[in-house]
mmCIF file of all heavy atoms in Angstrom:
data_model
loop_
_atom_site.group_PDB
_atom_site.id
_atom_site.type_symbol
_atom_site.label_atom_id
_atom_site.label_comp_id
_atom_site.label_asym_id
_atom_site.label_seq_id
_atom_site.Cartn_x
_atom_site.Cartn_y
_atom_site.Cartn_z
ATOM 1 N N GLU A 254 1.350 -9.237 -21.423
ATOM 2 C CA GLU A 254 1.182 -7.819 -21.555
ATOM 3 C C GLU A 254 2.301 -7.199 -22.337
ATOM 4 O O GLU A 254 2.031 -6.325 -23.178
ATOM 5 C CB GLU A 254 0.988 -7.154 -20.194
ATOM 6 C CG GLU A 254 -0.258 -7.414 -19.460
ATOM 7 C CD GLU A 254 -1.441 -6.723 -20.196
ATOM 8 O OE1 GLU A 254 -1.171 -5.576 -20.708
ATOM 9 O OE2 GLU A 254 -2.527 -7.268 -20.222
ATOM 10 N N VAL A 255 3.539 -7.613 -22.091
ATOM 11 C CA VAL A 255 4.759 -7.172 -22.769
ATOM 12 C C VAL A 255 4.547 -7.470 -24.305
ATOM 13 O O VAL A 255 4.789 -6.595 -25.150
ATOM 14 C CB VAL A 255 5.918 -7.616 -22.210
ATOM 15 C CG1 VAL A 255 7.215 -7.266 -23.145
ATOM 16 C CG2 VAL A 255 6.244 -6.996 -20.899
ATOM 17 N N GLU A 256 4.188 -8.667 -24.539
ATOM 18 C CA GLU A 256 4.039 -9.061 -26.008
ATOM 19 C C GLU A 256 2.864 -8.307 -26.710
ATOM 20 O O GLU A 256 3.120 -7.931 -27.825
ATOM 21 C CB GLU A 256 3.653 -10.626 -26.031
ATOM 22 C CG GLU A 256 3.712 -11.127 -27.513
ATOM 23 C CD GLU A 256 3.502 -12.568 -27.572
ATOM 24 O OE1 GLU A 256 3.444 -13.336 -26.467
ATOM 25 O OE2 GLU A 256 3.309 -13.182 -28.622
ATOM 26 N N ARG A 257 1.934 -8.087 -25.910
ATOM 27 C CA ARG A 257 0.763 -7.242 -26.534
ATOM 28 C C ARG A 257 1.274 -5.831 -26.853
ATOM 29 O O ARG A 257 0.948 -5.222 -27.905
ATOM 30 C CB ARG A 257 -0.465 -7.280 -25.659
ATOM 31 C CG ARG A 257 -1.537 -6.354 -26.011
ATOM 32 C CD ARG A 257 -2.700 -6.290 -25.066
ATOM 33 N NE ARG A 257 -2.292 -5.774 -23.860
ATOM 34 C CZ ARG A 257 -2.159 -4.502 -23.600
ATOM 35 N NH1 ARG A 257 -2.433 -3.542 -24.630
ATOM 36 N NH2 ARG A 257 -1.771 -3.979 -22.431
ATOM 37 N N MET A 258 2.098 -5.233 -25.908
ATOM 38 C CA MET A 258 2.524 -3.905 -26.122
ATOM 39 C C MET A 258 3.461 -3.833 -27.368
ATOM 40 O O MET A 258 3.326 -2.972 -28.136
ATOM 41 C CB MET A 258 3.320 -3.437 -24.885
ATOM 42 C CG MET A 258 2.495 -3.162 -23.704
ATOM 43 S SD MET A 258 3.523 -2.833 -22.240
ATOM 44 C CE MET A 258 2.180 -2.448 -20.959
ATOM 45 N N GLN A 259 4.233 -4.793 -27.507
ATOM 46 C CA GLN A 259 5.244 -4.757 -28.648
ATOM 47 C C GLN A 259 4.503 -5.005 -29.945
ATOM 48 O O GLN A 259 4.859 -4.369 -30.954
ATOM 49 C CB GLN A 259 6.312 -5.912 -28.388
ATOM 50 C CG GLN A 259 7.313 -5.613 -27.337
ATOM 51 C CD GLN A 259 8.164 -6.779 -26.919
ATOM 52 O OE1 GLN A 259 7.861 -7.908 -27.217
ATOM 53 N NE2 GLN A 259 9.337 -6.558 -26.425
ATOM 54 N N HIS A 260 3.499 -5.781 -29.926
ATOM 55 C CA HIS A 260 2.712 -6.021 -31.229
ATOM 56 C C HIS A 260 1.916 -4.700 -31.557
ATOM 57 O O HIS A 260 1.383 -4.561 -32.600
ATOM 58 C CB HIS A 260 1.792 -7.142 -31.188
ATOM 59 C CG HIS A 260 2.529 -8.450 -31.412
ATOM 60 N ND1 HIS A 260 2.901 -8.861 -32.580
ATOM 61 C CD2 HIS A 260 2.992 -9.427 -30.585
ATOM 62 C CE1 HIS A 260 3.664 -10.017 -32.609
ATOM 63 N NE2 HIS A 260 3.671 -10.339 -31.290
ATOM 64 N N ALA A 261 1.740 -3.919 -30.515
ATOM 65 C CA ALA A 261 1.025 -2.583 -30.785
ATOM 66 C C ALA A 261 1.945 -1.557 -31.243
ATOM 67 O O ALA A 261 1.664 -0.433 -31.411
ATOM 68 C CB ALA A 261 0.224 -2.187 -29.487
ATOM 69 N N GLY A 262 3.164 -2.011 -31.472
ATOM 70 C CA GLY A 262 4.161 -1.084 -31.993
ATOM 71 C C GLY A 262 4.869 -0.166 -31.027
ATOM 72 O O GLY A 262 5.400 0.817 -31.250
ATOM 73 N N ALA A 263 4.896 -0.626 -29.704
ATOM 74 C CA ALA A 263 5.363 0.191 -28.638
ATOM 75 C C ALA A 263 6.666 -0.465 -28.078
ATOM 76 O O ALA A 263 6.892 -1.619 -28.233
ATOM 77 C CB ALA A 263 4.336 0.292 -27.455
ATOM 78 N N THR A 264 7.491 0.342 -27.378
ATOM 79 C CA THR A 264 8.722 -0.168 -26.632
ATOM 80 C C THR A 264 8.304 -0.432 -25.258
ATOM 81 O O THR A 264 7.707 0.537 -24.681
ATOM 82 C CB THR A 264 9.788 0.914 -26.811
ATOM 83 O OG1 THR A 264 10.208 1.128 -28.157
ATOM 84 C CG2 THR A 264 11.004 0.442 -25.967
ATOM 85 N N ALA A 265 8.399 -1.523 -24.652
ATOM 86 C CA ALA A 265 8.026 -1.970 -23.435
ATOM 87 C C ALA A 265 9.205 -1.892 -22.452
ATOM 88 O O ALA A 265 10.277 -2.452 -22.777
ATOM 89 C CB ALA A 265 7.361 -3.273 -23.334
ATOM 90 N N VAL A 266 8.976 -1.333 -21.292
ATOM 91 C CA VAL A 266 9.994 -1.283 -20.101
ATOM 92 C C VAL A 266 9.406 -1.907 -18.870
ATOM 93 O O VAL A 266 8.164 -1.550 -18.679
ATOM 94 C CB VAL A 266 10.628 0.081 -19.845
ATOM 95 C CG1 VAL A 266 11.478 0.531 -21.073
ATOM 96 C CG2 VAL A 266 9.551 1.078 -19.563
ATOM 97 N N LEU A 267 10.159 -2.634 -18.203
ATOM 98 C CA LEU A 267 9.655 -3.381 -17.023
ATOM 99 C C LEU A 267 10.158 -2.641 -15.724
ATOM 100 O O LEU A 267 11.146 -2.009 -15.680
ATOM 101 C CB LEU A 267 9.957 -4.809 -16.944
ATOM 102 C CG LEU A 267 9.389 -5.674 -18.091
ATOM 103 C CD1 LEU A 267 10.188 -6.974 -18.135
ATOM 104 C CD2 LEU A 267 7.878 -5.894 -17.685
ATOM 105 N N ILE A 268 9.312 -2.550 -14.620
ATOM 106 C CA ILE A 268 9.634 -2.004 -13.433
ATOM 107 C C ILE A 268 9.703 -3.007 -12.334
ATOM 108 O O ILE A 268 8.656 -3.860 -12.257
ATOM 109 C CB ILE A 268 8.680 -0.820 -13.074
ATOM 110 C CG1 ILE A 268 8.788 0.340 -14.030
ATOM 111 C CG2 ILE A 268 9.068 -0.320 -11.642
ATOM 112 C CD1 ILE A 268 7.868 0.152 -15.179
ATOM 113 N N GLU A 269 10.655 -3.193 -11.642
ATOM 114 C CA GLU A 269 10.904 -4.197 -10.589
ATOM 115 C C GLU A 269 11.120 -3.611 -9.153
ATOM 116 O O GLU A 269 11.843 -2.559 -9.007
ATOM 117 C CB GLU A 269 12.043 -5.074 -10.844
ATOM 118 C CG GLU A 269 12.231 -6.176 -10.049
ATOM 119 C CD GLU A 269 13.471 -7.079 -10.517
ATOM 120 O OE1 GLU A 269 14.634 -6.725 -10.077
ATOM 121 O OE2 GLU A 269 13.413 -7.987 -11.155
ATOM 122 N N ASP A 270 10.546 -4.003 -8.226
ATOM 123 C CA ASP A 270 10.579 -3.550 -6.849
ATOM 124 C C ASP A 270 10.984 -4.735 -5.906
ATOM 125 O O ASP A 270 10.211 -5.737 -5.730
ATOM 126 C CB ASP A 270 9.281 -2.912 -6.252
ATOM 127 C CG ASP A 270 9.434 -2.261 -4.962
ATOM 128 O OD1 ASP A 270 10.501 -2.512 -4.330
ATOM 129 O OD2 ASP A 270 8.544 -1.616 -4.543
ATOM 130 N N ASP A 271 12.217 -4.710 -5.410
ATOM 131 C CA ASP A 271 12.751 -5.659 -4.468
ATOM 132 C C ASP A 271 12.668 -7.140 -5.056
ATOM 133 O O ASP A 271 12.223 -8.027 -4.449
ATOM 134 C CB ASP A 271 11.978 -5.678 -3.145
ATOM 135 C CG ASP A 271 12.702 -6.341 -2.034
ATOM 136 O OD1 ASP A 271 13.954 -6.399 -2.036
ATOM 137 O OD2 ASP A 271 12.020 -6.752 -1.019
ATOM 138 N N GLY A 272 13.059 -7.229 -6.361
ATOM 139 C CA GLY A 272 13.071 -8.496 -6.983
ATOM 140 C C GLY A 272 11.954 -8.983 -7.544
ATOM 141 O O GLY A 272 11.813 -10.069 -8.272
ATOM 142 N N GLN A 273 10.730 -8.146 -7.429
ATOM 143 C CA GLN A 273 9.436 -8.622 -7.937
ATOM 144 C C GLN A 273 9.034 -7.627 -9.012
ATOM 145 O O GLN A 273 8.993 -6.423 -8.783
ATOM 146 C CB GLN A 273 8.335 -8.760 -6.897
ATOM 147 C CG GLN A 273 8.720 -9.694 -5.781
ATOM 148 C CD GLN A 273 8.628 -11.065 -6.386
ATOM 149 O OE1 GLN A 273 7.855 -11.447 -7.057
ATOM 150 N NE2 GLN A 273 9.529 -11.986 -5.927
ATOM 151 N N VAL A 274 8.606 -8.119 -10.247
ATOM 152 C CA VAL A 274 8.153 -7.222 -11.281
ATOM 153 C C VAL A 274 6.826 -6.710 -10.907
ATOM 154 O O VAL A 274 5.964 -7.423 -10.465
ATOM 155 C CB VAL A 274 8.149 -7.892 -12.623
ATOM 156 C CG1 VAL A 274 7.168 -9.048 -12.686
ATOM 157 C CG2 VAL A 274 7.855 -6.867 -13.765
ATOM 158 N N ILE A 275 6.632 -5.386 -10.930
ATOM 159 C CA ILE A 275 5.393 -4.792 -10.508
ATOM 160 C C ILE A 275 4.613 -4.133 -11.639
ATOM 161 O O ILE A 275 3.335 -3.744 -11.457
ATOM 162 C CB ILE A 275 5.534 -3.675 -9.423
ATOM 163 C CG1 ILE A 275 6.315 -2.551 -9.863
ATOM 164 C CG2 ILE A 275 6.227 -4.418 -8.206
ATOM 165 C CD1 ILE A 275 6.441 -1.348 -8.905
ATOM 166 N N GLY A 276 5.309 -3.901 -12.750
ATOM 167 C CA GLY A 276 4.485 -3.318 -13.880
ATOM 168 C C GLY A 276 5.347 -3.038 -15.065
ATOM 169 O O GLY A 276 6.484 -3.426 -15.046
ATOM 170 N N ALA A 277 4.676 -2.772 -16.188
ATOM 171 C CA ALA A 277 5.304 -2.468 -17.447
ATOM 172 C C ALA A 277 4.696 -1.198 -18.081
ATOM 173 O O ALA A 277 3.544 -0.902 -17.923
ATOM 174 C CB ALA A 277 5.083 -3.623 -18.445
ATOM 175 N N VAL A 278 5.535 -0.365 -18.767
ATOM 176 C CA VAL A 278 5.191 0.780 -19.308
ATOM 177 C C VAL A 278 5.406 0.755 -20.760
ATOM 178 O O VAL A 278 6.582 0.355 -21.260
ATOM 179 C CB VAL A 278 5.921 2.048 -18.759
ATOM 180 C CG1 VAL A 278 5.438 3.367 -19.432
ATOM 181 C CG2 VAL A 278 5.693 2.160 -17.226
ATOM 182 N N ALA A 279 4.433 1.039 -21.698
ATOM 183 C CA ALA A 279 4.490 1.059 -23.140
ATOM 184 C C ALA A 279 4.726 2.452 -23.621
ATOM 185 O O ALA A 279 3.901 3.396 -23.291
ATOM 186 C CB ALA A 279 3.386 0.387 -23.778
ATOM 187 N N VAL A 280 5.791 2.684 -24.364
ATOM 188 C CA VAL A 280 6.132 3.979 -24.938
ATOM 189 C C VAL A 280 6.069 3.999 -26.468
ATOM 190 O O VAL A 280 6.748 3.074 -26.987
ATOM 191 C CB VAL A 280 7.373 4.600 -24.502
ATOM 192 C CG1 VAL A 280 7.694 5.948 -24.999
ATOM 193 C CG2 VAL A 280 7.363 4.608 -22.945
ATOM 194 N N ARG A 281 5.382 4.796 -27.125
ATOM 195 C CA ARG A 281 5.317 4.788 -28.583
ATOM 196 C C ARG A 281 5.297 6.182 -29.110
ATOM 197 O O ARG A 281 4.870 7.126 -28.557
ATOM 198 C CB ARG A 281 3.998 3.946 -28.995
ATOM 199 C CG ARG A 281 4.080 3.817 -30.502
ATOM 200 C CD ARG A 281 2.845 2.841 -30.919
ATOM 201 N NE ARG A 281 1.569 3.628 -30.751
ATOM 202 C CZ ARG A 281 0.384 2.968 -31.143
ATOM 203 N NH1 ARG A 281 0.441 1.849 -31.716
ATOM 204 N NH2 ARG A 281 -0.732 3.710 -31.087
ATOM 205 N N ASP A 282 5.922 6.359 -30.439
ATOM 206 C CA ASP A 282 5.974 7.582 -31.042
ATOM 207 C C ASP A 282 4.463 7.625 -31.748
ATOM 208 O O ASP A 282 4.319 6.939 -32.725
ATOM 209 C CB ASP A 282 7.072 7.563 -32.107
ATOM 210 C CG ASP A 282 7.199 8.923 -32.759
ATOM 211 O OD1 ASP A 282 6.539 9.961 -32.252
ATOM 212 O OD2 ASP A 282 8.021 9.053 -33.644
ATOM 213 N N GLU A 283 3.614 8.468 -31.298
ATOM 214 C CA GLU A 283 2.313 8.515 -31.748
ATOM 215 C C GLU A 283 2.085 9.216 -33.014
ATOM 216 O O GLU A 283 2.799 10.040 -33.340
ATOM 217 C CB GLU A 283 1.403 9.075 -30.678
ATOM 218 C CG GLU A 283 1.160 8.333 -29.431
ATOM 219 C CD GLU A 283 0.266 7.121 -29.825
ATOM 220 O OE1 GLU A 283 0.844 6.095 -30.171
ATOM 221 O OE2 GLU A 283 -0.921 7.172 -29.540
ATOM 222 N N LEU A 284 1.014 8.779 -33.701
ATOM 223 C CA LEU A 284 0.606 9.444 -35.014
ATOM 224 C C LEU A 284 0.248 10.849 -34.710
ATOM 225 O O LEU A 284 -0.259 11.254 -33.639
ATOM 226 C CB LEU A 284 -0.551 8.796 -35.607
ATOM 227 C CG LEU A 284 -0.278 7.398 -36.360
ATOM 228 C CD1 LEU A 284 -1.569 6.852 -36.653
ATOM 229 C CD2 LEU A 284 0.586 7.526 -37.574
ATOM 230 N N ARG A 285 0.574 11.773 -35.767
ATOM 231 C CA ARG A 285 0.017 13.133 -35.533
ATOM 232 C C ARG A 285 -1.524 12.959 -35.570
ATOM 233 O O ARG A 285 -2.115 12.182 -36.235
ATOM 234 C CB ARG A 285 0.447 13.879 -36.831
ATOM 235 C CG ARG A 285 1.890 14.160 -36.870
ATOM 236 C CD ARG A 285 2.214 14.950 -38.153
ATOM 237 N NE ARG A 285 3.681 15.180 -38.381
ATOM 238 C CZ ARG A 285 4.428 16.155 -37.729
ATOM 239 N NH1 ARG A 285 3.817 16.997 -37.015
ATOM 240 N NH2 ARG A 285 5.689 16.172 -37.913
ATOM 241 N N PRO A 286 -2.164 13.832 -34.846
ATOM 242 C CA PRO A 286 -3.681 13.739 -34.702
ATOM 243 C C PRO A 286 -4.442 13.916 -36.011
ATOM 244 O O PRO A 286 -5.469 13.276 -36.129
ATOM 245 C CB PRO A 286 -4.025 14.915 -33.738
ATOM 246 C CG PRO A 286 -2.840 15.855 -33.743
ATOM 247 C CD PRO A 286 -1.708 15.060 -34.106
ATOM 248 N N GLU A 287 -3.845 14.543 -37.001
ATOM 249 C CA GLU A 287 -4.525 14.610 -38.341
ATOM 250 C C GLU A 287 -4.095 13.587 -39.358
ATOM 251 O O GLU A 287 -4.704 13.570 -40.362
ATOM 252 C CB GLU A 287 -4.229 16.089 -38.876
ATOM 253 C CG GLU A 287 -2.733 16.230 -39.437
ATOM 254 C CD GLU A 287 -1.729 16.587 -38.478
ATOM 255 O OE1 GLU A 287 -2.038 16.463 -37.194
ATOM 256 O OE2 GLU A 287 -0.619 17.038 -38.748
ATOM 257 N N ALA A 288 -3.276 12.675 -38.983
ATOM 258 C CA ALA A 288 -2.742 11.727 -39.929
ATOM 259 C C ALA A 288 -3.873 10.836 -40.526
ATOM 260 O O ALA A 288 -3.781 10.571 -41.713
ATOM 261 C CB ALA A 288 -1.617 10.771 -39.299
ATOM 262 N N ARG A 289 -4.696 10.318 -39.648
ATOM 263 C CA ARG A 289 -5.652 9.355 -40.145
ATOM 264 C C ARG A 289 -6.632 10.061 -41.218
ATOM 265 O O ARG A 289 -6.959 9.478 -42.230
ATOM 266 C CB ARG A 289 -6.601 8.845 -39.035
ATOM 267 C CG ARG A 289 -5.814 7.953 -37.997
ATOM 268 C CD ARG A 289 -6.654 7.420 -36.901
ATOM 269 N NE ARG A 289 -5.847 6.691 -35.846
ATOM 270 C CZ ARG A 289 -5.226 7.304 -34.890
ATOM 271 N NH1 ARG A 289 -5.279 8.631 -34.671
ATOM 272 N NH2 ARG A 289 -4.657 6.553 -34.016
ATOM 273 N N ASP A 290 -7.008 11.313 -40.821
ATOM 274 C CA ASP A 290 -7.894 12.007 -41.717
ATOM 275 C C ASP A 290 -7.223 12.376 -43.076
ATOM 276 O O ASP A 290 -7.867 12.303 -44.096
ATOM 277 C CB ASP A 290 -8.436 13.240 -41.017
ATOM 278 C CG ASP A 290 -9.314 14.155 -41.869
ATOM 279 O OD1 ASP A 290 -10.333 13.530 -42.297
ATOM 280 O OD2 ASP A 290 -9.072 15.219 -42.170
ATOM 281 N N VAL A 291 -5.999 12.699 -42.971
ATOM 282 C CA VAL A 291 -5.266 13.072 -44.141
ATOM 283 C C VAL A 291 -5.082 11.747 -45.104
ATOM 284 O O VAL A 291 -5.273 12.021 -46.377
ATOM 285 C CB VAL A 291 -3.816 13.552 -43.812
ATOM 286 C CG1 VAL A 291 -2.882 13.644 -45.048
ATOM 287 C CG2 VAL A 291 -3.903 15.028 -43.166
#
């Protein structure tokens, strides 16, 4: 999942609870909504 997030152009951060990884969050600087149309 982390590799997929990175190939999507996102920065991935992992969350760990009591020594066990429980999730990952992908953060990305998104395109302006009109960019594709422009």
Side-chain angles (χ1 to χ4, degrees):
E254 286 291 324
V255 168
E256 185 177 355
R257 180 183 60 80
M258 292 174 176
Q259 291 174 336
H260 280 284
T264 298
V266 293
L267 293 165
I268 296 88
E269 185 182 83
D270 187 350
D271 201 23
Q273 298 294 320
V274 63
I275 63 168
V278 178
V280 179
R281 189 172 71 173
D282 190 8
E283 286 291 86
L284 286 173
R285 294 181 185 274
E287 72 276 13
R289 297 178 185 85
D290 180 58
V291 167

